[in-house]
Amino acid sequence: MIIGPLLLLAGALVRVPFPFFFPRQLAAVQQAPGLVIGGYTAFLAGNVLMWPAVVTLARRIGLTHPVWAAWGGVFVIVGLFERTFHAGINQAAFRLVLRHGLDSATAFVQDSYQDTHLFSYLSFTIMFGWYVLAVGAYRSRVLGLTGSIALASMGLVPLGVLKGTDAFTIAGTLGLCVAFLPLGVRLVREGPRPSRRSVLFTLLATVMVGLLAYASTLG
């Protein structure tokens, strides 16, 4: 609830200088690959980190409004899966630009943009889920009116492959920060203080996960 929204906002802001639609996004990769790919990667990381935040919020909503919690939680998480799927296509397109040139990558994306796949039928969840979850958060009083409206604004963030940043993207990711950061800080304060043993174990586990992450890149 704290790190995820901030990564989404950071990833969105990095893409601000580049025009919104995919041909210009691919051209931006050719001009500034580190900046563009870094921005998309930050947005992807924030998107992945949203699932435990959404589950936590849905559990709190479910204490009094289980139906709203179930539908809102499921729709939002499926939408997160879909954005992750789109991110994979984005990364493949970026590599096409770097390895085979801008014209080849643009032609490939243009020819395959409307291809049907599983997530074609679930695109509505990317936006609609946030509205359902926001209504549930308001009805259950887990979030107030301001926080619920801010949460719903995440539904404004455009969906699809190779979408840059526009005013709706900034409004949605800022709204998510307004909705989730105060709740995340409150949850941290309410939780038990970690013991010295658990801190040591977490540090060791972090090193192991880092080594496994590096090994994963070796194929």
Side-chain angles (χ1 to χ4, degrees):
M1 285 187 173
I2 298 172
I3 300 174
L6 292 175
L7 282 171
L8 286 170
L9 178 60
L13 292 176
V14 166
R15 300 182 306 201
V16 166
F18 309 108
F20 180 76
F21 290 106
F22 86 84
R24 304 296 293 275
Q25 292 288 301
L26 292 177
V29 173
Q30 194 174 50
Q31 299 164 7
L35 188 62
V36 176
I37 295 175
Y40 273 88
T41 301
F43 195 91
L44 169 61
N47 183 74
V48 171
L49 286 177
M50 278 296 93
W51 77 261
V54 170
V55 169
T56 300
L57 179 60
R59 287 181 62 186
R60 291 200 159 204
I61 295 171
L63 295 176
T64 56
H65 291 72
V67 175
W68 284 100
W71 283 106
V74 168
F75 281 166
V76 171
I77 289 176
V78 171
L80 296 176
F81 288 160
E82 178 145 4
R83 283 198 187 276
T84 304
F85 175 80
H86 290 162
I89 299 175
N90 294 342
Q91 293 294 327
F94 297 156
R95 299 305 167 185
L96 278 174
V97 172
L98 298 176
R99 288 188 169 87
H100 298 285
L102 178 60
D103 292 340
S104 176
T106 302
F108 173 79
V109 173
Q110 190 167 7
D111 291 343
S112 60
Y113 204 84
Q114 296 296 327
D115 287 356
T116 302
H117 48 76
L118 171 63
F119 285 113
S120 300
Y121 303 97
L122 299 171
S123 294
F124 72 94
T125 62
I126 295 179
M127 294 181 168
F128 187 67
W130 292 105
Y131 304 141
V132 177
L133 196 66
V135 172
Y138 177 71
R139 288 174 60 89
S140 64
R141 299 295 184 265
V142 175
L143 294 176
L145 179 60
T146 300
S148 300
I149 293 173
L151 183 66
S153 70
M154 187 62 186
L156 299 174
V157 178
L159 59 95
V161 173
L162 294 171
K163 293 296 193 299
T165 295
D166 61 3
F168 293 114
T169 310
I170 296 174
T173 51
L174 273 174
L176 190 65
C177 290
V178 171
F180 270 0
L181 262 62
L183 182 57
V185 171
R186 188 161 71 246
L187 289 172
V188 169
R189 289 177 175 174
E190 292 174 355
R193 293 180 63 86
S195 65
R196 185 176 300 177
R197 181 179 180 182
S198 64
V199 170
L200 179 60
F201 176 79
T202 300
L203 291 174
L204 292 174
T206 300
V207 173
M208 289 300 299
V209 169
L211 292 173
L212 289 172
Y214 173 73
S216 298
T217 66
L218 302 178

